[in-house]
Amino acid sequence: MDSLTRDVEKIFLKNDIMRYKGLYAEKRMLYKAVKRLFDIAASCAAMVILSPVFLITAIAILLEDGGPVFFVQPRAGKDMNPFSMYKFRSMCKDADKKFAQMQKDNEQSGHAFKIKDDPRITKVGKFIRKYSIDELPQLINILKGDMSIVGPRPILTFQMEACNEYEKQRLLVKPGLTCYWQISGRANIAWDEWVELDLKYIEDMGILTDIKMIWKTIPVIFYGDGAY
C-alpha cells in the first residue's frame, strides 16, 4: 500500500469518526433525559417483577456448586470509561484463570470472545445463558447509570482498548442490555458487522427506535437464537 492510499484512508477514517461524534452530539437533550428516566423506571419495575427469577436462579447456582451467585467483571463503558458489570455466574469458579488458554478456541472474529461449547459453562449456566437470564443483574448497572436498556453490548475493557478509533465509536453512547446485535443473531454475527450495527444505532437512536428494539428483544430471548 503506497503512502497516498494510506493518507486517503486516514482522511476517510477521520471523517467517519467526526460524523458519528456529530450525530450523537445532535441528539436532543430531551431525548437523553427521557431515555435516562425510562432506564430508571423500567429497571426498577423489571427487578420487582422478575424478583422470583432472581431468587430461583440464585438458589440453582448455589445448589450446583455452592456459589458465588454473582460474577463481576470490568467492561468498557461510555467514552471507554471502565465499570464493573454484574451477571449471574454461568461458569465454573476458576473461569477467569482459564481464559488465556481458551483464546486459541475463540470462534468470534475481531476483539470479542465467544465459544459455542465453552467447557467452563456450568449446567445452570447453559440454561440461563440461552435465555439471557444471566444478564438480569445488569439492571443494577442501569440503575447506577453505567448502562442503558438499549445500547451496544459492552465487551471486556482490554478487548475494547485494543480496538481502533473507528471501532471505539460504538461506545460514544452508554452500553446496553439490548441492541441491533442482540436482535440480529448475537454470537452468530462477525465482529465487523457487530461494530456497524452499533454505529447504526447511534444514527437511529430515538424514543421510537428504543421501543422497537425492546419489543423485538422479547421473542429473541424466548427462542435463544445465537445465545451461548
Side-chain angles (χ1 to χ4, degrees):
M1 184 184 297
D2 57 43
S3 59
L4 178 59
T5 303
R6 285 195 295 270
D7 289 342
V8 170
E9 287 187 348
K10 287 179 181 178
I11 292 171
F12 277 111
L13 179 60
K14 184 177 180 180
N15 288 340
D16 281 337
I17 292 172
M18 295 303 295
R19 174 171 171 260
Y20 287 105
K21 285 182 178 178
L23 284 170
Y24 180 65
E26 288 171 4
K27 303 296 178 182
R28 295 186 176 183
M29 289 302 297
L30 177 61
Y31 161 66
K32 294 175 182 178
V34 170
K35 184 177 175 69
R36 178 59 186 149
L37 289 173
F38 175 78
D39 283 342
I40 294 170
S43 55
C44 285
M47 289 180 72
V48 172
I49 295 169
L50 297 172
S51 57
V53 178
F54 273 76
L55 179 60
I56 292 169
T57 303
I59 292 171
I61 293 171
L62 288 170
L63 288 176
E64 181 170 21
D65 64 5
V69 169
F70 297 106
F71 177 69
V72 183
Q73 194 174 50
R75 298 289 175 107
K78 186 180 183 301
D79 299 323
M80 291 295 296
N81 293 316
F83 70 98
S84 296
M85 191 181 81
Y86 308 117
K87 300 181 73 170
F88 279 121
R89 184 172 60 84
S90 61
M91 292 187 173
C92 59
K93 298 178 182 180
D94 60 348
D96 274 347
K97 295 177 182 178
K98 297 179 180 179
F99 183 73
Q101 68 189 58
M102 298 294 296
Q103 291 297 313
K104 66 181 187 304
D105 300 315
N106 187 14
E107 296 171 4
Q108 178 58 277
S109 58
H111 300 282
F113 179 85
K114 289 286 182 180
I115 299 176
K116 189 170 185 179
D117 296 311
D118 194 322
R120 299 174 299 166
I121 298 175
T122 63
K123 292 178 181 178
V124 171
K126 189 171 184 179
F127 179 84
I128 64 176
R129 277 176 169 240
K130 181 175 177 63
Y131 297 104
S132 298
I133 296 170
D134 62 317
E135 310 289 357
L136 290 181
Q138 286 155 49
L139 292 167
I140 299 170
N141 287 118
I142 294 170
L143 277 175
K144 290 174 62 180
D146 300 324
M147 295 175 62
S148 179
I149 298 291
V150 181
R153 288 297 296 157
I155 62 174
L156 291 165
T157 304
F158 78 87
Q159 291 173 326
M160 204 63 222
E161 288 173 344
C163 292
N164 60 40
E165 291 304 310
Y166 181 80
E167 295 167 328
K168 287 178 179 178
Q169 291 179 111
R170 62 190 296 273
L171 291 181
L172 286 169
V173 299
K174 285 183 183 180
L177 274 179
T178 189
C179 55
Y180 281 129
W181 174 83
Q182 187 86 353
I183 64 175
S184 302
R186 293 191 272 189
N188 296 326
I189 296 176
W191 171 252
D192 288 344
E193 185 181 353
W194 183 349
V195 171
E196 294 304 321
L197 286 171
D198 289 337
L199 295 180
K200 174 177 167 56
Y201 174 67
I202 295 174
E203 290 188 67
D204 298 346
M205 65 189 303
I207 293 173
L208 287 178
T209 298
D210 289 354
I211 292 172
K212 289 178 183 178
M213 198 91 68
I214 294 167
W215 181 254
K216 290 181 178 180
T217 300
I218 297 171
V220 169
I221 290 173
F222 282 109
Y223 284 110
D225 293 335
Y228 55 82

